[in-house]
Amino acid sequence: MAVFDTPQEAFGALRPVCVQLTKAQTRENVAQLQARLGAVSAAALQELQEYVLFPLRFALKVPGPKQERLVQSVVQCISSVLAATCVKKQELLQELFSELCSCLSPPSAVKKPASLSEELKLAVIQALHTLMHSAYGDVILSLYQPSTLPLLGFAVSLLLGLAEQEKAKQIKISALKCLQVLILQCDCQEHQNLDEDEAQQCGDLFASFLPGISITLSRVITGDIKQGHTTTVSAIRLFYQIVGLVMSDEQLSRVPKNKEKLSVEQSRISELMIHRGPDWSKSTAEKLTLLIHKIVEFSSVHPHWKVRLELVELVHHLMRNCRQSLVDSFSHLLKALVGLVNDENSEVQNRCNEVLQSIAEQRLVAENRALADVLSENLHSLATALPRLMNSQDDQGKFSTLTLLLGYLKLLGPKINIVLNSAAHLHRLSKALMQVLELDVTDVKIVEDRRWGSESSYEPPGCLQKGKRQKKYFRFFTEEKVFQLLQQVCRVLGYYGNLYLLVDHFMGLYTESVTYRKQSAMVLNELIAGAAGVGVDVLHEREDPVSMDDLKGSITSILDEYTDQANWYLITSIDTDEVGTELSVRHSGLPTSPGSAHSSVLIPPSDPHLSTCTMNSNIWQICIQLEGIGCFAAVLGKEFRLLLLSALYPVLEKAGDKTLLVSETAMGTLVDICEACSYDSMQCLINENSDYLVNGISLNLRQLAHQPHASRVLDTMLRHSDASLLPLVEDVIQDVLSTLDQSYDNQASTFLRVLYSLTAALVQWFGTSCREEHQGQTAEWRSRTLSQVQQQQLVTRQEVEQFFLDYVRQKQIAEGNLPDADDEEADVVPPLAEPERNNSDTEGETPLPSHAQLAKDVMERCIHLLSDRNLRVRLKVLDVLELCVTVLHPHGNHLLPMAHRVWPALVTRLISDDPLAVLRAFKCFPPLNARGPRHYLAPPERALLPSPVRAPTYQSPSRDARWNGKAAE
């Protein structure tokens, strides 16, 4: 079909169909006009716009009933014309607007939309949408005059009715988008931006519609979820756009206090106009607060993420434009915003963070005292309800509640001190944290898990890696993400809050009650980390960072309290030795560790039969305090070296604790200290501080009844250092041995752990060849035993032969039959060759190396302890004895006398002891017998050797007076 580019050509083509439509209003004639319009260019159609629209408008105005299909065709044809042209006359715009609205609701049914088909309703809505976009320039503003207020109200009511009452999703969405265009808030790029005066005029006009629009939209937003998320998103967007326009702070600030007087002609219109004065603004804000609360509560938990995302946009728009007029609604808006910070959808999370960052950068909270007060009040209310919520909600609910709390704190920023400076606010917040962080201490495995490393294996230095913090179990939640939120809450408090005030308050709770002690320690650890800016997520930087001196002062006071004897030496086991050790700490006036300023004491529990929960609680308290020391080291870095005098010794004590959880946590703390203080390894940490540690051990060994844990420190030092430590600790080891000599009865078990660590370290440091021999001692012992048996059999035959020769000779002498001298000489049997002895006298003359001398000294103590009444002590002694023999193995002249001395007690273990001791003694036997203890044993004692070494047949009578005596008889 030919295209008509000029108005003349287009007029010639359109005139017949327009005349025909004017004469007969039928669908066929409308279709012909629609088809002919497709051949006309846009420029030509612009010139003939009113001519073409006349028959279409006439078809709508003809009185009488009309077919819906005909009206639908006419409206669609009008849309085609408007889409290709611009409306340049105000009268035409208003008339078309009125005529299209009439299609939805004839005059006979103004109050209620007619029962029209969905297709017709959709066509009319789309035609209105197209009409608003086709208005040229300032023509559109002719609709937004006080005189057109009734017409606008009519259109708004129709579109709101369709958006609320229609079931078809497409009609609801189209009606909402048409309303968005009608209030001049369209999202398209062609939308004309209004200047201040025009926006002010539109705001005055739409103030009359705000109650109806906001109420209807709130019902749509909170309606049936089956309507689809797109409808809800469109309704939310329209709600915050109309509210943001009418309640804009900028517009309300320009509204005069008194309403302007209008002329008589305008008096009727003036009754419909709203004066946005202070009274009206306050009243409207109160009503909008209810609607906003309703919308926020519904949309924040909507299952579709786009609805939640649009809710974030609502908060951002209203907080940006209405932060003065809608300040009472900010509690609900902020609750929605901070509640979605950890939304499951990444887009919602990111947008929330952007909005929060924008609020922080604009300093809306810092510069708006009313907003800060709202946040403070919300925070106070939430802290009050927090324990109840933690009891009643599931983990997801707890997560949402704590997210809300964290969001409030982040938004308050430096204004947190408004809350903290109030004693009531701080008390409620701290007590809420104390209750929420209550640990579950019913797990019996915590007490059952014991550390056996010092008795069974040696840990070489440098083998430790940075350990994970022990997972904690809480009474009121199980999810790890909930605990992470609580950590962030405490760190944000430390970051923005007054550090001295917070530390003082929570230290008061720490000392106030045992119930709050673990929770207070956790909070204090996180406060220090937050104050240093470690692992804290904030929206904007603080103005005055905490100085290093302030951090050091706070850490020092906390550290002194942690390592005080009453809080450090707690009973963690029903082990008799350990309980007695802990209870031995009495009023002594001695400091906890060298360099400690405190001299407080442990108050023994009144109930000697401690429950599992009590011991678990003690274990967790010690672990939390150890974690705190590691945190303090990370915060101070190399500055923490100045505090090692008061921190390192107690941590090393706990590293040697028999409770697995405590010892592992202490080892993790030592690793943290190494990293923070720039030590290459734990070995360097111990060696460089060994003078202070050794001095502390020596002092405490002299007061063993009051400081029973010195052996643990030495134990840990030995297990995690190298041979360079030995000269430094040699004197203190001698002190340990001397102290052991004086306290065999009550301290043997404690000191044997140290002796085991010492001998294991000596084997590790000096016994490369010894270890190789030790590993092959069983095979060597068997082969050596076999050769001894064979040699013994050979000697026995010679002795028997000599016995009979002597017998014959004595008998001949007794009978007087003396043999000749030659015969006598012939009968003399050459003397038996003496067994070749190990000629190593010169070796014994040379002094022993220091490590071998230590092993020999330890072996001396083992001789006396092998017959201890306590089975556990005897087993430990046998472990130590085996290691001592391994160290002394290259020094035979020293080992053999010691083996001779230890042999009677060891034999007793083999033949008359508990089966565990017998088995353990057999493990000691091969290395002990490898150097030949038979060289020092008389035949009857040799008979006590295990069966593989005993002679299988006959014992020689020679060189045994008792045997000779029996033979003579």
Side-chain angles (χ1 to χ4, degrees), residues 574-702:
I574 57 175
D575 189 325
T576 305
D577 295 336
E578 184 170 342
V579 172
T581 298
E582 303 297 349
L583 292 180
S584 65
V585 183
R586 302 293 182 180
H587 291 273
S588 61
L590 295 175
T592 303
S593 60
S596 175
H598 284 289
S599 61
S600 49
V601 296
L602 174 70
I603 301 175
S606 58
D607 183 8
H609 303 289
L610 296 173
S611 66
T612 301
C613 292
T614 302
M615 289 185 288
N616 280 348
S617 179
N618 292 341
I619 291 170
W620 276 120
Q621 181 182 332
I622 295 171
C623 290
I624 292 168
Q625 293 171 170
L626 285 167
E627 290 175 359
I629 295 174
C631 175
F632 302 157
V635 165
L636 293 181
K638 288 188 176 181
E639 292 291 326
F640 192 77
R641 290 194 177 201
L642 301 176
L643 300 179
L644 284 178
L645 291 177
S646 57
L648 183 56
Y649 191 97
V651 174
L652 287 172
E653 280 184 347
K654 295 306 176 186
D657 198 281
K658 296 175 68 175
T659 303
L660 182 63
L661 195 65
V662 173
S663 61
E664 286 185 349
T665 306
M667 293 309 301
T669 300
L670 288 172
V671 175
D672 292 339
I673 292 175
C674 289
E675 292 185 357
C677 299
S678 300
Y679 288 105
D680 295 335
S681 65
M682 197 178 303
Q683 169 187 329
C684 296
L685 171 67
I686 293 173
N687 288 357
E688 293 187 22
N689 295 277
S690 58
D691 52 348
Y692 141 72
L693 295 172
V694 167
N695 181 61
I697 295 171
S698 299
L699 292 175
N700 290 336
L701 284 174
R702 298 170 189 171

Side-chain angles (χ1 to χ4, degrees), residues 726-855:
L726 187 59
L728 301 174
V729 300
E730 190 170 356
D731 291 339
V732 78
I733 291 173
Q734 292 297 335
D735 292 342
V736 169
L737 295 176
S738 300
T739 307
L740 176 62
D741 292 340
Q742 301 170 7
S743 56
Y744 278 122
D745 295 337
N746 53 1
Q747 295 292 334
S749 178
T750 300
F751 285 110
L752 280 173
R753 288 201 305 167
V754 182
L755 298 182
Y756 180 90
S757 296
L758 171 64
T759 51
L762 295 178
V763 171
Q764 179 72 22
W765 297 340
F766 303 101
T768 303
S769 59
C770 296
R771 285 198 307 272
E772 293 175 355
E773 293 183 13
H774 177 69
Q775 292 171 357
Q777 277 176 354
T778 302
E780 181 183 356
W781 173 69
R782 290 175 179 174
S783 60
R784 186 186 296 264
T785 301
L786 181 61
S787 63
Q788 289 177 352
V789 170
Q790 293 174 351
Q791 182 180 4
Q792 186 177 16
Q793 290 176 350
L794 177 63
V795 174
T796 300
R797 287 195 295 270
Q798 295 174 352
E799 290 178 348
V800 170
E801 182 181 359
Q802 181 64 38
F803 171 77
F804 281 107
L805 289 175
D806 291 342
Y807 176 77
V808 171
R809 182 171 177 276
Q810 292 293 336
K811 186 176 181 181
Q812 290 176 350
I813 292 174
E815 293 176 355
N817 186 12
L818 297 176
D820 297 337
D822 295 338
D823 296 336
E824 185 176 349
E825 292 178 0
D827 293 338
V828 174
V829 179
L832 296 176
E834 291 291 332
E836 185 177 349
R837 296 184 180 274
N838 186 11
N839 188 17
S840 57
D841 295 339
T842 57
E843 182 182 353
E845 296 174 357
T846 59
L848 277 174
S850 59
H851 68 276
Q853 183 62 48
L854 285 175

Side-chain angles (χ1 to χ4, degrees), residues 52 121 160 305 332 341 354 367 425 470 485 507 558 637 686 697 921 952:
V52 175
K121 295 174 185 177
L160 286 174
W305 66 271
H332 308 305
V341 169
E354 291 174 3
E367 296 176 0
H425 283 58
Q470 299 295 338
L485 273 181
M507 283 299 293
I558 298 173
I686 293 173
I697 295 171

